[in-house]
Amino acid sequence: MSHPSNASRRSLATRLGALLMIGTTLSACAVGPDYFGAPIALPTQWGNAKPSAVTRPVSLAHWWNRLGDPTLNRLIEEAVEGNLDVASAKARIREARATRRQAIGALLPLVDGFGSSTYNQTGTSTATSGSTAGAGATPFTYNLHQAGFDSSWELDLFGGNKRAVEAATYGVDAAEDDLRATLLTLVGDVAAYYVEMRGYQARIALARRTAASQRQTALLTQQKFEAGSSSAVDAANAAGLAATTESYIPTYEVSYAEAVHRIGVLLGREPTALALPFKRVAKIPAPRLPLPTGIPADVLILRPDVRKAERLYAQYTARVGQAEAALYPSVSLTGSVSTSALNIGDLGKASTIGWSVGPSLSVPIFNGGKLRAAVDIAGAQRDQYYLAWRSSVLTALEDVENALVSMAQERIKIQRLSEAARRYGEATRLSRALYTSGSTSFLEALTAERSFYTAEDSLIISRVAIATSYIALAKALGGGWDGAIISSIPAVVDVNTGPHIVAGESAGTLRQLAAP
């Protein structure tokens, strides 16, 4: 071990400064492809949008307000706060940020401290035959105290660590877009299931009203039969029609309950949490149309799933460079400073300090092709994410076009159904009055009632479809939750994480977790 003088200290500082300058200059280099994105051809307008001289910019902020239902607005706000998928997406953001900090740490020097205090004894010499050398020698015992630190710094001449930081940064962006995509899906699902739930409420109410009316007709037919002015066939048909209509109600009740349960889970609550609040029947939300759709290029910016796919493509492009850097030599600067003394009070004195500093070089010479294979793997993964990004763009365009077609055709359909329901309603009232007075046959009255119920039920289904198509269009365009989201708070808060005695797991631990 060497002991530093003033001259050696100056020499050490000069050498360290030179090495740091060279390392900093060379560490600006990097191998592998740089990410600049990729061009993609997009249409200039939506193929199924209504032609317009002026393209209105897309407007998706709180698009669910256009449905005009305050209850739905409250549910969406509660879902954003309590949904478990959103909480998981927040955790993935925290993971991605921690991964980035971990990658940044590889760019900085590593310093480890050490210290020891030992009680030592020298070995005694053994006298050989015919010699008295060493005879009577006593062991020498002493205390040895040591302290110091070791340091190392990989100069990252070919940018492997920088590429890792770059990849981790893109990973953070992807995680944040994943959260936004999760919120988009959540908001759309809550709205869609809410509309579906209100639709089943309306269909149940319609079936009950219709069945009650049909029971009155059946009673009238029975009375006519008993009076001899109607046949037994007419009485049986009337009762059978009412029973058939009543048989639809249990099926609708099941679908209604499933929608209610799903909304409860989406809000992060037990499935039946909303059963009582939803008992009160409300109208099916009707969207305020039209919804401005902008141009196809907007989906590249507004759709979080497309942004996430693009960030993953960028991340895996950086990982190609990270893999290629492993093909090149690795240079590290290592150093250590230590002090040792027989007396602990002498530690740190100039005469007890020793140091060493210098570069080290590692050159991959033969590794059986593993490093080159790693580069090929990274390149193939990059290609997969590039294609996944292109696929996500096409899927986004498809979603918008499908929603536009569905919306346009459903608006035409609901106009026809509204007219049909109105006409069949008039026919039902007239035929019932005529049948009561004996001016028409029972078959005409029966046909009119059946047709009116079918038209009314189809009209409800179409109203649900209009609202669902509007929700699908808003989702396809990238409309999600645009409010602030706090992702830094962990879902599980650990306590007593310092050094402590770990007790054995009690038999009741699982029961405690399952307890309400």
Side-chain angles (χ1 to χ4, degrees):
M1 181 178 293
S2 59
H3 302 288
S5 62
N6 291 335
S8 64
R9 291 194 186 97
R10 287 193 297 271
S11 176
L12 172 62
T14 302
R15 292 174 184 174
L16 285 175
L19 287 171
L20 290 173
M21 184 177 297
I22 294 172
T24 303
T25 302
L26 293 178
S27 63
C29 301
V31 296
D34 296 323
Y35 179 74
F36 296 107
I40 185 169
L42 295 174
T44 57
Q45 60 184 3
W46 298 109
N48 290 287
K50 185 178 180 180
S52 176
V54 179
T55 301
R56 297 174 60 188
V58 62
S59 177
L60 298 172
H62 290 80
W63 56 262
W64 50 90
N65 288 338
R66 298 169 70 98
L67 289 166
D69 194 311
T71 300
L72 174 59
N73 298 341
R74 291 193 297 270
L75 290 174
I76 288 176
E77 292 176 0
E78 185 177 347
V80 170
E81 292 295 327
N83 182 261
L84 298 182
D85 290 336
V86 171
S88 296
K90 292 178 181 179
R92 288 192 289 272
I93 290 180
R94 295 194 296 274
E95 177 187 0
R97 289 173 178 170
T99 301
R100 183 176 183 273
R101 294 197 304 271
Q102 189 178 49
I104 291 174
L107 296 174
L108 304 175
L110 300 178
V111 180
D112 293 319
F114 64 88
S116 66
S117 182
T118 59
Y119 181 72
N120 304 275
Q121 174 180 303
T122 60
T124 57
S125 59
T126 303
T128 58
S129 177
S131 172
T132 59
T138 59
F140 175 68
T141 60
Y142 62 95
N143 295 320
L144 180 62
H145 308 283
Q146 292 180 309
F149 64 86
D150 296 321
S151 64
S152 63
W153 180 35
E154 184 180 353
L155 299 183
D156 197 28
L157 300 183
F158 299 98
N161 292 335
K162 281 195 299 298
R163 291 297 191 192
V165 173
E166 181 184 354
T169 302
Y170 289 137
V172 173
D173 295 339
E176 291 174 348
D177 287 328
D178 175 67
L179 172 60
R180 290 297 171 181
T182 303
L183 286 167
L184 181 148
T185 301
L186 172 65
V187 170
D189 285 352
V190 171
Y193 280 108
Y194 180 81
V195 169
E196 181 180 319
M197 181 269 298
R198 292 304 186 193
Y200 281 116
Q201 275 187 334
R203 296 182 74 183
I204 291 169
L206 173 64
R208 286 173 175 166
R209 288 197 310 270
T210 303
S213 176
Q214 290 170 349
R215 285 295 179 188
Q216 292 178 352
T217 302
L219 178 61
L220 176 61
T221 305
Q222 182 65 28
Q223 292 172 349
K224 283 178 171 287
F225 167 68
E226 292 173 353
S229 59
S230 181
S231 67
V233 174
D234 291 344
N237 279 333
L241 179 62
T244 299
T245 302
E246 290 170 344
S247 70
Y248 299 147
I249 296 175
T251 301
Y252 299 156
E253 290 281 6
V254 170
S255 299
Y256 164 77
E258 289 175 348
V260 171
H261 297 165
R262 188 62 199 151
I263 295 173
V265 172
L266 288 174
L267 268 59
R269 301 168 66 180
E270 63 274 13
T272 59
L274 300 173
L276 186 60
F278 284 163
K279 283 293 184 182
R280 181 176 176 272
V281 178
K283 67 177 183 178
I284 300 170
R288 189 171 69 252
L289 300 174
L291 180 67
T293 57
I295 59 176
D298 291 336
V299 300
L300 298 178
I301 301 172
L302 298 177
R303 283 278 293 248
D305 57 329
V306 174
R307 296 199 308 266
K308 174 187 173 183
E310 184 271 337
R311 293 288 86 182
L312 290 174
Y313 166 41
Q315 181 182 31
Y316 278 82
T317 300
R319 288 185 177 178
V320 174
Q322 185 181 358
E324 288 191 4
L327 299 173
Y328 293 85
S330 174
V331 179
S332 298
L333 180 63
T334 61
S336 66
V337 176
S338 63
T339 176
S340 60
L342 299 180
N343 297 316
I344 194 169
D346 294 332
L347 289 177
K349 293 183 178 179
S351 60
T352 66
I353 297 176
W355 56 266
S356 66
V357 63
S360 63
L361 175 67
S362 175
V363 181
I365 297 175
F366 178 77
N367 49 65
K370 290 195 303 181
L371 298 181
R372 176 54 63 183
V375 174
D376 294 340
I377 291 172
Q381 291 175 336
R382 183 267 316 274
D383 291 350
Q384 293 173 52
Y385 282 98
Y386 166 69
L387 296 173
W389 168 64
R390 289 182 61 90
S391 177
S392 71
V393 173
L394 296 179
T395 299
L397 299 179
E398 179 188 16
D399 291 343
V400 175
E401 296 288 6
N402 289 344
L404 287 171
V405 171
S406 177
M407 175 72 71
Q409 296 304 314
E410 204 61 49
R411 294 177 73 181
I412 296 173
K413 180 179 178 180
I414 199 170
Q415 292 175 357
R416 303 294 183 266
L417 287 173
S418 297
E419 182 181 1
R422 182 172 59 84
R423 295 294 187 182
Y424 281 126
E426 294 174 357
T428 299
R429 286 190 294 273
L430 290 173
S431 62
R432 185 177 297 157
L434 291 172
Y435 177 67
T436 302
S437 63
S439 301
T440 188
S441 68
F442 172 74
L443 180 60
E444 290 183 357
L446 185 68
T447 301
E449 285 196 352
R450 183 186 294 115
S451 299
F452 179 53
Y453 171 69
T454 301
E456 284 278 282
D457 191 60
S458 298
L459 184 59
I460 292 174
I461 294 173
S462 184
R463 286 172 180 161
V464 171
I466 282 282
T468 302
S469 296
Y470 168 80
I471 294 168
L473 178 59
K475 287 177 59 179
L477 290 170
W481 182 263
D482 55 1
I485 296 293
I486 299 175
S487 59
S488 58
I489 301 175
V492 178
V493 179
D494 296 316
V495 296
N496 192 26
T497 58
H500 61 280
I501 298 175
V502 180
E505 183 178 6
S506 64
T509 299
L510 295 179
R511 290 194 296 271
Q512 292 173 4
L513 291 174

